[in-house]
Amino acid sequence: MASTPRTPRRGLPRVPGGEPWPPAASDAPGPQGSAEPAVVESEDRAGIGRKPAAGPNAAPVSDSAGVGAVASGVPGAESVSDSAGVGAVASGVPEAGRRDAAGSGVRRGLPREPGGEPWPPISQIRPDPADARGDAASSVPSSEDRAAAPRAPLTLPRTVRPGVAASLPRPPKREPRTIGPYTPVQWAGSLAVLGTLALVLVALVVVIARVLLSLPSGQAFLAAYPGEYPLPDAAPVGIPAWLNWSHFLNSFFLLLIIRTGWQVHREKRPAAFWSPRGNKRRRISLALWFHQSLDILWIANGVVFVVLLFVTGQWMRIVPTSWDVFPNAVSAALQYAALDWPTENGWVNYNSLQQLSYFAITFVAAPVAIVTGVRLSGVWPRDAERLNRLFPAEWARKLHYPTMLFFVAFIVVHVTLVLATGALRNLDHMYAARGSVDPDAFAGDPTGLLIFAASLLVMAAGWVAARPSVLIPIARLFGDVKQR
């Protein structure tokens, strides 16, 4: 049974002022069931209600912003979501067709009956004051046109301008100057911290020593062991002139040995090399050659000193001859720590702490320095496998450097105590060979001080002269020298 053909519902025009779509020529119905009206929901921006159109296959319309959506009645039309809050328009309707020809500002939808007027009718639309501007509003350039147009200059005067430094290139960041692994500021801070800790430690030692010596047991200990013991009756009195000269030469050579030893320890690119004439393959740095040459002179002076020491009997002044030397050394150390320094007469006898220190520096430290130095030098036989196993070079290197530090510590303490415990009298003994059994006899004699000052000038001159320009001509007298 054939049903009565239905006229399709027509939608909005595709051009402003045109007839509703689809045109009347295409209104003829197709085969039965080939075209079904879609559900239409219309809603104006003024809040006019929706009215759905009947149809079993109505397509849903998305209304994402709370405004009515319009679906096209044309077959194949898709629902469109108007996310800007204006409503959905069927595909194919131009933007200008979203408003009717009356320019009322209200979106008009599909008619409510076939062939009728689009809803709502014009008679029910209130004119929109915003649309009174009409063509004036349409003449406003779009955002794309505004972006393409040149930007107008600022109307306000500029109050901030770049300075001269903004146009100048930034200088490269300079690395801080370092002394070894640290900067001068870090060294100063480290020395300040260590100095403060040293002062605190010294103050603590002084307090403890004073407390111990103030006790009755401490007083009895000082009475029994005043800090020195009597020498043998055959011990000589006084200091001979040869000992003064040997003392000065020992100080001069030892100063330069320490300087060149530190230079060898720190040097990476020697300025010159020395090699013996008979062995061109053996080559050492100029600083090492000077260091070993000074060692030979220092050893020769030491041998003469030790020989004369035993020949003249002066050995009894620095070699302990009684076991009382140890408790007396402890007593002298407590007196030094309490800042109540012993006032023995060095022209006659040393205190026990001096005696032990002089014995250690002469008969312990000096031989260790000589033996380890020979082991590290070219004099040592390289092919003596058994001897090398008994005394490896690593052992000699680990002993040689600490021995040098021991000499440095001894010199600092020795000079400090000489100047702090009667400088004029002690310098007379050591440099002028002047003294007496009366400790006050030469207390004001400046002879030793003047000789000591002259010796310091000689040491300073030797320190300054120990440079390649002076050493190279001397080294060439004993071998070949090659400079970089």
Side-chain angles (χ1 to χ4, degrees):
M1 179 179 178
S3 60
T4 305
R6 299 177 58 185
T7 303
R9 187 182 299 274
R10 302 170 69 190
L12 295 177
R14 291 199 171 185
V15 294
E19 63 176 324
W21 185 264
S26 60
D27 286 348
Q32 184 179 355
S34 62
E36 293 291 336
V39 176
V40 178
E41 295 181 358
S42 63
E43 181 179 355
D44 59 19
R45 289 186 299 179
I48 299 175
R50 308 175 191 173
K51 183 176 181 181
N57 298 325
V61 179
S62 172
D63 187 4
S64 61
V67 183
V70 179
S72 171
V74 182
E78 298 177 356
S79 61
V80 180
S81 173
D82 190 353
S83 61
V86 181
V89 182
S91 63
V93 181
E95 182 70 19
R98 293 187 179 185
R99 297 182 181 273
D100 61 345
S104 62
V106 177
R107 187 185 302 277
R108 300 178 70 193
L110 298 175
R112 292 198 170 184
E113 55 186 16
E117 183 183 5
W119 187 265
I122 296 178
S123 59
Q124 296 183 8
I125 298 176
R126 184 188 310 171
D128 190 354
D131 289 338
R133 291 184 290 270
D135 297 337
S138 63
S139 64
V140 178
S142 63
S143 59
E144 291 80 1
D145 296 337
R146 288 195 300 268
R151 183 177 180 181
L154 296 175
T155 58
L156 298 177
R158 178 180 294 180
T159 58
V160 179
R161 291 179 174 83
V164 178
S167 59
L168 297 177
R170 291 187 178 182
K173 186 178 180 181
R174 297 180 58 185
E175 295 294 333
R177 186 173 63 90
T178 59
I179 303 175
Y182 304 110
T183 62
V185 176
Q186 292 173 334
W187 278 113
S190 301
L191 291 177
V193 173
L194 293 177
T196 304
L197 294 177
L199 290 177
V200 172
L201 182 60
V202 169
L204 185 62
V205 170
V206 171
V207 171
I208 294 175
R210 286 183 173 273
V211 170
L212 291 177
L213 294 181
S214 64
L215 298 176
S217 57
Q219 295 293 328
F221 180 76
L222 287 180
Y225 303 101
E228 58 177 314
Y229 65 93
L231 295 178
D233 296 337
V237 176
I239 299 176
W242 66 262
L243 200 149
N244 296 150
W245 279 100
S246 179
H247 180 269
F248 163 71
L249 292 176
N250 180 75
S251 303
F252 179 74
F253 292 144
L254 197 58
L255 176 67
L256 295 181
I257 287 173
I258 293 173
R259 179 185 185 275
T260 54
W262 181 255
Q263 183 179 356
V264 171
H265 181 73
R266 300 285 298 177
E267 194 174 43
K268 295 181 179 180
R269 291 179 59 85
F273 293 91
W274 178 87
S275 59
R277 291 190 178 93
N279 186 6
K280 300 297 184 179
R281 294 183 179 180
R282 183 192 171 205
R283 189 178 69 168
I284 60 176
S285 66
L286 183 65
L288 182 57
W289 171 84
F290 188 45
H291 180 77
Q292 294 179 354
S293 302
L294 291 170
D295 287 340
I296 295 174
L297 297 176
W298 179 66
I299 293 172
N301 178 72
V303 170
V304 173
F305 172 77
V306 171
V307 170
L308 292 177
L309 203 65
F310 283 95
V311 169
T312 60
Q314 290 288 333
W315 64 270
M316 288 180 283
R317 294 171 56 86
I318 65 173
V319 178
T321 57
S322 172
W323 291 107
D324 290 341
V325 65
F326 297 107
N328 279 285
V330 174
S331 175
L334 288 174
Q335 295 176 58
Y336 281 121
L339 301 182
D340 185 16
W341 295 345
T343 58
E344 77 286 341
N345 185 4
W347 184 259
V348 178
N349 190 11
Y350 298 129
N351 66 58
S352 295
L353 191 60
Q354 281 180 288
Q355 189 179 52
L356 289 177
S357 62
Y358 296 158
F359 175 82
I361 203 73
T362 304
F363 297 102
V364 178
V368 169
I370 294 172
V371 172
T372 55
V374 170
R375 177 64 183 89
L376 296 173
S377 69
V379 180
W380 187 268
R382 303 296 181 184
D383 299 333
E385 297 182 0
R386 183 176 180 182
L387 193 59
N388 291 335
R389 287 197 304 269
L390 292 176
F391 189 24
E394 291 76 12
W395 293 6
R397 191 173 292 107
K398 291 180 180 179
L399 287 174
H400 195 72
Y401 185 71
T403 304
M404 184 199 73
L405 297 180
F406 174 76
F407 273 101
V408 173
F410 172 81
I411 292 172
V412 172
V413 175
H414 177 63
V415 173
T416 301
L417 292 179
V418 165
L419 298 178
T421 58
L424 294 178
R425 183 188 63 183
N426 292 333
L427 292 176
D428 275 345
H429 298 168
M430 296 169 57
Y431 284 90
R434 295 165 62 88
S436 173
V437 293
D438 182 7
D440 299 328
F442 292 89
D445 187 6
T447 305
L449 177 62
L450 295 176
I451 299 175
F452 173 68
S455 69
L456 291 181
L457 292 178
V458 174
M459 292 180 185
W463 184 284
V464 174
R467 58 183 59 191
S469 60
V470 177
L471 295 178
I472 288 176
I474 301 175
R476 282 176 176 163
L477 299 175
F478 306 94
D480 296 329
V481 178
K482 291 186 178 179
Q483 297 177 256
R484 285 187 178 274

